[in-house]
Amino acid sequence: MKMVVVSCKSCKKEFKVSFTENILIRANCNKRGVSWAEVTVFCPHCGAKYAKEMNGNEFREFMRKI
């Protein structure tokens, strides 16, 4: 499984994000796939949350990275 290393904007520490670690995904699907998604990333050091809303194409590109 691939992982992406990101740095926290609050505490400036780096941490790994994968499909099973430090992430919450809410997605709205239709017949053709994901139409909208909200991805929330959690910092394991300070507990900060960063959320981003994405359309279907942005979500597919994001999922290819992790």
Side-chain angles (χ1 to χ4, degrees):
M1 186 174 296
K2 293 186 266 180
M3 292 189 155
V4 178
V5 176
V6 295
S7 62
C8 179
K9 294 174 187 168
S10 296
C11 66
K12 310 291 190 236
K13 292 183 181 177
E14 292 189 342
F15 61 97
K16 295 179 180 179
V17 174
S18 71
F19 191 65
T20 57
E21 278 184 70
N22 304 322
I23 197 167
L24 173 70
I25 299 172
R26 288 182 16 191
N28 184 25
C29 301
N30 57 23
K31 288 186 272 188
R32 294 173 297 186
V34 174
S35 60
W36 163 114
E38 181 185 62
V39 176
T40 306
V41 175
F42 301 95
C43 176
H45 304 291
C46 67
K49 294 184 205 174
Y50 302 101
K52 181 176 181 189
E53 288 189 11
M54 303 179 184
N55 63 28
N57 292 333
E58 291 172 329
F59 183 69
R60 275 188 288 283
E61 286 296 317
F62 176 77
M63 291 308 289
R64 284 189 191 116
K65 292 178 187 175
I66 63 170

